[in-house]
Amino acid sequence: MASEQQTSSDTQSVQSSQAGHAQPHAHAHLEPGKKKATMLGLVMVFAIRKHIQQQCHADLRVANVERLIEAVEEGELNQSIIRVLRNVAQEVEPVPAALATLLTHEDPTDKPFELHEELASEDEKSLAVGFCVRMDVALRGTEPADEREIVHTHLTGERAASHRCEIIFRVLSTIRDLLKLQDEIDRKRHAA
């Protein structure tokens, strides 16, 4: 599990592979890094769904994530990742709000994945960033410290605002795509 730790930018590759390989047995056709990242993503999304189910007594659905993406697009993006997500959480329905808030919780990527109740004190320690770090480590086979350093450089560099937006939209679109994949897997399993 310690090797599950991840960062920031190639989830689009995972997303494309998920869209094209929605059958449960299709993962055999994925490159090893993409398969590992997809499987890790599904595990993390399962934990997020379970947490939101317990908190809101409702399941996290694709439409909830799409609603959250819309709200983020309409909001003020020139802020920290944590501030953007916390502000949006106050403007949407309970389930998308629960996801936005959960993404502002702490995620120590030097440990195996588990959800934490503590709010992150800075963007780099948030689940939004941690989710991306973990996905990138799985996808690329890199070390968590290396991926975190890349994120740190991006979030403190010249184009920090752009990178913050990229991380927010990346984590939300990845969660949405993984929910779609899980729904497809469930449909095929029930049809069998």
Side-chain angles (χ1 to χ4, degrees):
M1 297 279 285
S3 66
E4 293 175 356
Q5 283 114 45
Q6 291 53 313
T7 301
S8 157
S9 146
D10 273 333
T11 300
Q12 289 122 5
S13 302
V14 173
Q15 293 168 350
S16 348
S17 69
Q18 294 162 353
H21 297 11
Q23 303 85 17
H25 57 277
H27 295 294
H29 303 296
L30 295 176
E31 297 170 30
K34 288 182 181 178
K35 180 179 180 181
K36 185 175 180 182
T38 301
M39 298 311 291
L40 172 64
L42 288 169
V43 167
M44 291 191 296
V45 167
F46 177 81
I48 289 168
R49 272 182 127 157
K50 184 176 177 184
H51 179 87
I52 290 173
Q53 173 67 38
Q54 292 170 343
Q55 182 180 345
C56 298
H57 306 289
D59 194 20
L60 177 65
R61 299 275 179 211
V62 171
N64 301 130
V65 183
E66 289 173 345
R67 171 68 181 109
L68 190 54
I69 291 170
E70 288 171 15
V72 169
E73 288 172 340
E74 294 167 4
E76 173 58 49
L77 292 174
N78 197 16
Q79 303 176 56
S80 71
I81 293 169
I82 291 171
R83 179 60 35 220
V84 168
L85 291 170
R86 288 182 185 161
N87 287 345
V88 169
Q90 296 178 28
E91 299 174 17
V92 295
E93 301 75 22
V95 173
L99 175 60
T101 301
L102 187 58
L103 290 173
T104 68
H105 286 205
E106 201 166 278
D107 181 31
T109 56
D110 59 335
K111 297 179 179 163
F113 178 75
E114 66 179 17
L115 297 175
H116 294 269
E117 291 301 320
E118 303 83 27
L119 294 175
S121 57
E122 58 189 76
D123 287 348
E124 291 180 49
K125 294 180 179 180
S126 70
L127 177 57
V129 171
F131 191 99
C132 294
V133 168
R134 292 173 188 282
M135 292 294 288
D136 284 348
V137 169
L139 185 65
R140 299 179 183 146
T142 53
E143 292 297 319
D146 296 339
E147 293 297 336
R148 288 200 78 66
E149 183 58 36
I150 291 168
V151 169
H152 174 76
T153 302
H154 286 161
L155 293 179
T156 57
E158 234 175 75
R159 297 184 52 238
S162 171
H163 288 290
R164 286 192 303 266
C165 289
E166 179 185 323
I167 287 171
I168 292 169
F169 288 115
R170 179 177 173 219
V171 72
L172 292 175
S173 63
T174 300
I175 290 170
R176 179 197 59 211
D177 293 347
L178 288 164
L179 287 169
K180 286 179 182 177
L181 178 60
Q182 186 61 58
D183 288 349
E184 182 66 25
I185 291 169
D186 291 346
R187 271 193 297 279
K188 290 190 180 290
R189 185 174 296 138
H190 292 334

